[in-house]
Amino acid sequence: MLHFSRWKTLLIWLVAFAAIVIAAPNLLTEAQRSSLPDWLGHDRLTLGLDLQGGSHIVLKVERSDVVKDRLEELVANVRNALRGASIRYTGLTGNDQTVIVRITDPAQIKAAVDLLKPLTTAGGHSGSEVALQQGEEGQLSLQISDAGITADVASARSRSLDIVGRRIAGFGYENFLVRPDGADRIVLQVLGSVDAERLKNILNQPAKLSFHLIDESMSGQEALNGRWPATSQVLYSLDDPPIPYLVDRTAFVTGSNMVDIEPIVDPQTQETSIAYRLDAEGTQRLAQATEQNIGKHLAIVFDDQVMSSPVIDAAITGGEGRISANFSEDGVRDLAIMLRAGALPATLTSVEERSVSPRFGADSIFNGLIAGLVAVVLVAALMIALYRILGIIAVVSLFLNLILIVAVLSLVGATLTLPGIAGIVLIVGMAVDSNVLIYERIREEEKTTHFFAEAVGRGFSRAFSTIVDANVTIFIAAIILFFLGSESIRGFAVTLAVGILTTVFTAFTLTRSIVAVWLSARHPRHLPKSVLTHLFEHANIRFMGIRRYVFTASAVISLIAMAAFATVGLHLGIDFSGGSLIEVTAKQGNADIADLHSRLNDLNLGNVSVERTGGPSNARIRIASQGGGENAEQSAATLVRGELQEDYDFRRVDVVGPAISGELTMMATLGVLAALAAILIYIWIRFEWQFAVGAIVATLHDVIIMLGLFVLTGIEFNLTSIAAVLTIVGYSLNDTVVVYDRMRENLKRYKKMPLPILIDASINQTLSRTILTAATTLIALLALFLFGGEVIRSFTFAMLFGVALGTFSSIYIAAPVLIVFRLRPEAPDGEESNKTDAGVKSGTVV
């Protein structure tokens, strides 16, 4: 019997009511939410960058900059130490991570070694160990360890976090996030309308400003042609062509001494400059240096380039002045922002960019909502047609399930992305699977009991373990997907995982409580009749009768798929191959594909493809990896922006450098292997080893043929493709587990039934659930494919194919393997009981 106490029912509906209250603020505007109580208005979904627009940029600390600075510091320390002790030396040089010096007086070698030993400690650089070695003829070498440089890189990353945040805030953005990533990266996300190119420009420059004296012992060109003093260095100006200057290495004023910085634009001449005011220390140093060097030239150096070289006419004692900056109006403002925020300890190189315009995000939201609405309507109509009143109950549970998903995501502060919306739509199709399993189990149980209420109770109880086993496989896939790194894929993984948990919860609480109310109010004697469900009630298909033919055909197709994968290969997206993917919209009229292709070819960017996407005014540009490191990829995207910005709006820009693409490839490979291993270990624990082997074979079959689909169709294989493959693996095993669970049950019940017959009986008994679940999932995916937009179309296409493939493999791959590995030795002909014969003839086991 299906008993539900009043307090349990009350508790369940309190949870449902709380979910509605928590989810409701997501439907309100910001102004309406602000009027709500604090405890109610704060828990809401955050729209991801791909839905509200913005830029996601990954910056990497340039290790070469850290090595250069550390080496120069060590050279200076060696020079100062030896000079201070009057130890004669020659050949002081620094190269790579090694400083070499030769002590000319053998009698001073020991003193020099003792003097330089303190430099082998950290010296303020945590972990920057230096090894001191003594060679022949008085040569000493100091080697900076790799571990020390790595520690310095991590330190530079940590110091850069606040500076990056200040620069973004100075740029005028408010809704942004800056966080560390690994030992040498910074991830920043700026939401809203973003000038990504200008933003990257102010973040990529260290912005180290310093005041030096020009070494006038020789000209810059003479220094290049000969040998200049070790206390000076050759730097170039910002002019075109650049002019070499011999500049003293010692800086007497740096950007850290500047306390007030303002950009100045002369309204008459449009000349730009930076007005500055120094702190007390900087004022004193500038006054002293200029007083002692009247008539000489000052060198104002910005990131190792001479910005200005004015003549010192008189001592500068006021601590205020102007620096001429041959920049545009925006450029001088950006310079002021960088100087106010402070200098970065090292250059930050952009290794990944994902930028989306707010308009593109709004279109994605609209497409996702339309797809979700269509999916809900179609799935609801099918369930009501199949199960009448119980279908209505399933639809009510589906709506409450969706509300519960939104409530949980709001509570945890999850970010909703476009793939996340796709996950919700997918849950619409998959959530009713639990209801179908329960209802079909009730249909079986009512044939063996006298009371319908008892059949309902047994249906819910006996379907529980099957539903849990089936959903665990998809849950594991979702967890693995979460760690693949991409924010959008994480959004999909979180939505899918939460949806699975809420689906199981609603099936055994909300649905059960509503059914209990229906039973007590209506006292039905049987399930509502439906023509469609009765189509499978007496199914007696001999699936195993043609297993050899199907198995052989599948093996041939798998071999073809593997051969195509090995020879042709996948059409890798920029996630895995690097490069740029840019979507543009013509500001007027339609996008001229031929003109775009011609203009981009003139930029000499290598392999460039242009195709129309999402309407006549839109085009997608794909630029192959430039092969010149991280900066080459960014430069290519910058050139495209500069070429097209007058005629086109940029809807979406993805730039992936070689470092990121290599990591994503490794993570995707490990993610797939980890998901497969975790799922199969679970099945191995829950079932006999033959079942686990069958699941392994079926899973490999699905993965191989899915990869073959990508090869043969030429569909781009990217991170969303990995999400599709892993989700299909989980879905396929979901279906396989349902069949396996029924086989295991029948194995215990019918000890002498031949295995092929038992497998056929088990498949036939679960056939209605298999077909109906596939139908609802395919309906949801079809809605997503037709209305979800171009961005996730390849994902949904792969999912559509995968659902059909997973349904097939659970019957014709996973099941025959059990016979091959002799899950049960076949009984002699005629040994099975009459009861078994009767059960097989009727298509059910009673």
Side-chain angles (χ1 to χ4, degrees):
M1 297 292 288
L2 189 68
H3 294 293
F4 250 75
S5 62
R6 288 185 177 180
W7 70 269
K8 282 184 179 180
T9 303
L10 179 62
L11 182 61
I12 290 168
W13 285 101
L14 281 175
V15 171
F17 177 75
I20 294 172
V21 171
I22 294 171
N26 289 284
L27 300 176
L28 304 178
T29 64
E30 194 65 42
Q32 291 170 329
R33 275 194 295 267
S34 63
S35 64
L36 296 174
D38 291 341
W39 60 269
L40 183 61
H42 294 303
D43 295 327
R44 62 187 180 90
L45 279 172
T46 301
L47 295 181
L49 181 144
D50 57 351
L51 295 181
Q52 62 174 306
S55 288
H56 170 94
I57 299 173
V58 180
L59 303 169
K60 180 182 178 181
V61 176
E62 280 296 332
R63 188 181 179 94
S64 60
D65 275 16
V66 175
V67 171
K68 175 177 172 289
D69 289 347
R70 186 73 180 98
L71 197 65
E72 288 181 353
E73 181 184 12
L74 187 57
V75 168
N77 288 339
V78 170
R79 180 189 301 112
N80 294 336
L82 296 178
R83 285 184 176 180
S86 298
I87 296 176
R88 290 181 295 172
Y89 66 90
T90 187
L92 176 58
T93 58
N95 185 37
D96 194 15
Q97 294 174 207
T98 305
V99 174
I100 297 175
V101 64
R102 190 169 69 85
I103 308 302
T104 56
D105 185 355
Q108 292 183 310
I109 292 176
K110 186 178 184 306
V113 171
D114 293 339
L115 191 66
L116 298 181
K117 273 186 178 178
L119 299 180
T120 61
T121 59
H125 293 264
S126 178
S128 297
E129 301 87 355
V130 178
L132 174 62
Q133 293 182 340
Q134 183 175 340
E136 298 178 355
E137 299 181 357
Q139 180 172 295
L140 303 178
S141 64
L142 294 93
Q143 175 75 36
I144 307 172
S145 69
D146 289 337
I149 295 297
T150 299
D152 283 346
V153 169
S155 174
R157 191 281 318 271
S158 298
R159 286 180 287 149
S160 298
L161 286 171
D162 287 340
I163 299 170
V164 168
R166 289 198 294 270
R167 289 189 183 183
I168 297 173
F171 204 76
Y173 297 122
E174 297 180 355
N175 195 357
F176 67 89
L177 170 70
V178 179
R179 64 175 175 84
D181 181 36
D184 63 348
R185 290 183 189 162
I186 295 173
V187 175
L188 61 100
Q189 183 171 280
V190 185
L191 299 177
S193 182
V194 179
D195 185 343
E197 201 62 37
R198 190 176 172 192
L199 177 62
K200 286 190 297 181
N201 186 56
I202 70 166
L203 296 176
N204 292 156
Q205 301 182 65
K208 295 179 180 178
L209 184 72
S210 54
F211 287 17
H212 303 250
L213 289 172
I214 288 183
D215 185 344
E216 299 185 0
S217 62
M218 63 180 73
S219 69
Q221 192 60 50
E222 289 174 339
L224 289 174
N225 296 332
R227 186 173 181 179
W228 62 84
T231 55
S232 300
Q233 60 184 332
V234 175
L235 300 178
Y236 289 89
S237 70
L238 293 172
D239 301 301
D240 187 17
I243 301 170
Y245 288 92
L246 186 62
V247 179
D248 190 83
R249 290 181 182 273
T250 304
F252 48 86
V253 173
T254 65
S256 61
N257 296 120
M258 295 182 174
V259 294
D260 190 15
I261 300 166
E262 290 295 333
I264 303 294
V265 180
D266 190 313
Q268 301 296 327
T269 64
Q270 296 301 307
E271 291 183 355
T272 57
S273 60
I274 292 288
Y276 65 87
R277 182 169 60 85
L278 301 177
D279 59 14
E281 181 184 8
T283 300
Q284 181 181 357
R285 288 180 179 178
L286 181 61
Q288 183 179 0
T290 54
E291 183 179 8
Q292 296 174 355
N293 294 279
I294 293 175
K296 295 183 179 181
H297 285 78
L298 191 67
I300 301 174
V301 178
F302 180 78
D303 285 346
D304 292 335
Q305 288 184 288
V306 179
M307 179 184 291
S308 179
S309 57
V311 176
I312 303 173
D313 294 325
I316 304 173
T317 58
E320 297 181 356
R322 287 190 181 186
I323 304 171
S324 297
N326 188 23
F327 295 154
S328 65
E329 188 172 336
D330 285 340
V332 75
R333 288 198 179 100
D334 293 348
L335 177 60
I337 289 171
M338 290 186 282
L339 294 177
R340 287 184 194 129
L344 292 167
T347 301
L348 297 179
T349 299
S350 301
V351 295
E352 181 183 14
E353 178 195 348
R354 313 270 184 176
S355 295
V356 173
S357 71
R359 179 181 172 184
F360 186 81
D363 290 343
S364 297
I365 294 174
F366 178 78
N367 292 334
L369 291 177
I370 292 298
L373 182 62
V374 171
V376 168
V377 170
L378 293 178
V379 170
L382 181 61
M383 288 300 292
I384 294 171
L386 289 172
Y387 296 107
R388 308 300 170 85
I389 183 64
L390 287 179
I392 294 174
I393 293 174
V395 172
V396 171
S397 295
L398 175 61
F399 275 107
L400 291 173
N401 185 28
L402 293 176
I403 293 172
L404 197 58
I405 291 172
V406 173
V408 172
L409 293 176
S410 299
L411 278 176
V412 301
T415 299
L416 183 65
T417 63
L418 180 58
I421 293 178
I424 292 177
V425 177
L426 183 60
I427 286 294
V428 168
M430 295 174 60
V432 294
D433 170 58
S434 299
N435 296 97
V436 172
L437 270 171
I438 293 168
Y439 293 168
E440 292 303 307
R441 192 72 199 215
I442 293 172
R443 189 184 302 282
E444 294 178 22
E445 294 297 332
E446 70 175 329
K447 297 173 183 175
T448 62
T449 58
H450 297 291
F451 301 101
F452 179 66
E454 184 179 351
V456 173
R458 288 184 183 179
F460 272 96
S461 299
R462 294 186 177 180
F464 180 76
S465 62
T466 303
I467 291 173
V468 170
D469 281 338
N471 282 284
V472 163
T473 59
I474 303 180
F475 187 79
I476 291 173
I479 295 299
I480 298 296
L481 276 172
F482 180 79
F483 292 100
L484 287 183
S486 168
E487 182 199 12
S488 60
I489 299 303
R490 282 183 176 178
F492 173 77
V494 169
T495 302
L496 190 61
V498 170
I500 290 166
L501 295 176
T502 58
T503 294
V504 174
F505 172 79
T506 53
F508 290 97
T509 56
L510 290 168
T511 302
R512 196 166 185 171
S513 66
I514 298 173
V515 170
V517 171
W518 173 61
L519 286 175
S520 62
R522 297 290 184 179
H523 303 289
R525 296 186 177 183
H526 53 74
L527 277 174
K529 299 297 182 182
S530 170
V531 176
L532 293 175
T533 52
H534 280 285
L535 288 176
F536 311 110
E537 189 171 0
H538 301 290
N540 186 22
I541 303 171
R542 298 300 300 270
F543 293 100
M544 295 301 100
I546 59 171
R547 66 181 184 275
R548 292 181 178 86
Y549 305 106
V550 177
F551 213 79
T552 302
S554 294
V556 171
I557 294 173
S558 297
L559 289 173
I560 293 173
M562 286 190 289
F565 178 77
T567 55
V568 179
L570 294 168
H571 176 209
L572 295 177
I574 63 169
D575 293 331
F576 302 132
S577 65
S580 303
L581 184 69
I582 301 171
E583 292 192 19
V584 296
T585 300
K587 292 182 177 180
Q588 292 182 345
N590 296 335
D592 189 333
I593 302 300
D595 177 66
L596 281 171
H597 203 278
S598 175
R599 292 168 67 178
L600 295 176
N601 278 339
D602 290 341
L603 298 178
N604 296 318
L605 298 176
N607 187 14
V608 177
S609 64
V610 184
E611 60 184 358
R612 203 174 298 281
T613 177
S617 62
N618 301 328
R620 180 188 292 123
I621 301 164
R622 166 76 184 266
I623 305 171
S625 176
Q626 299 298 293
E630 311 296 343
N631 285 321
E633 307 300 342
Q634 296 295 329
S635 297
T638 299
L639 286 173
V640 173
R641 279 185 167 117
E643 175 66 27
L644 303 181
Q645 62 185 355
E646 295 296 327
D647 305 314
Y648 292 88
D649 291 321
F650 289 82
R651 306 173 71 221
R652 172 189 173 202
V653 177
D654 289 352
V655 184
V656 180
I660 295 294
S661 62
E663 290 178 6
L664 290 177
T665 301
M666 179 62 69
M667 290 182 65
T669 303
L670 294 177
V672 171
L673 294 177
L676 293 176
I679 291 170
L680 296 173
I681 288 171
Y682 177 79
I683 293 178
W684 196 291
I685 293 171
R686 292 288 290 127
F687 296 88
E688 288 80 358
W689 68 268
Q690 290 95 335
F691 287 109
V693 172
I696 291 172
V697 173
T699 301
L700 291 176
H701 166 270
D702 292 348
V703 171
I704 289 170
I705 293 185
M706 283 286 289
L707 292 177
L709 172 73
F710 280 101
V711 173
L712 296 176
T713 60
I715 298 174
E716 186 177 277
F717 191 82
N718 49 34
L719 276 178
T720 60
S721 306
I722 292 291
V725 170
L726 284 183
T727 306
I728 286 303
V729 166
Y731 178 87
S732 175
L733 287 171
N734 171 302
D735 205 20
T736 300
V737 164
V738 172
V739 177
Y740 276 2
D741 197 70
R742 183 56 61 91
M743 289 181 192
R744 182 171 58 180
E745 186 178 326
N746 287 337
L747 282 168
K748 294 177 182 178
R749 186 179 300 177
Y750 306 105
K751 306 292 186 181
K752 297 181 179 181
M753 181 182 289
L755 188 57
I757 298 176
L758 184 142
I759 291 175
D760 278 342
S762 301
I763 295 173
N764 279 294
Q765 289 167 17
T766 57
L767 187 60
S768 58
R769 176 266 169 194
T770 299
I771 293 177
L772 295 179
T773 299
T776 56
T777 306
L778 286 171
I779 285 174
L781 287 171
L782 186 61
L784 199 59
F785 180 78
L786 295 176
F787 304 104
E790 288 287 331
V791 177
I792 55 174
R793 185 150 294 168
S794 62
F795 167 80
T796 51
F797 176 77
M799 287 291 296
L800 281 166
F801 179 83
V803 167
L805 179 64
T807 303
F808 167 83
S809 67
S810 65
I811 295 174
Y812 277 113
I813 304 298
V817 171
L818 302 179
I819 300 175
V820 173
F821 284 92
R822 301 180 65 82
L823 178 63
R824 170 189 286 179
E826 292 190 24
D829 291 342
E831 190 173 331
E832 59 272 12
S833 66
N834 291 332
K835 182 179 181 180
T836 298
D837 289 335
V840 172
K841 289 176 182 177
S842 65
T844 58
V845 180
V846 292

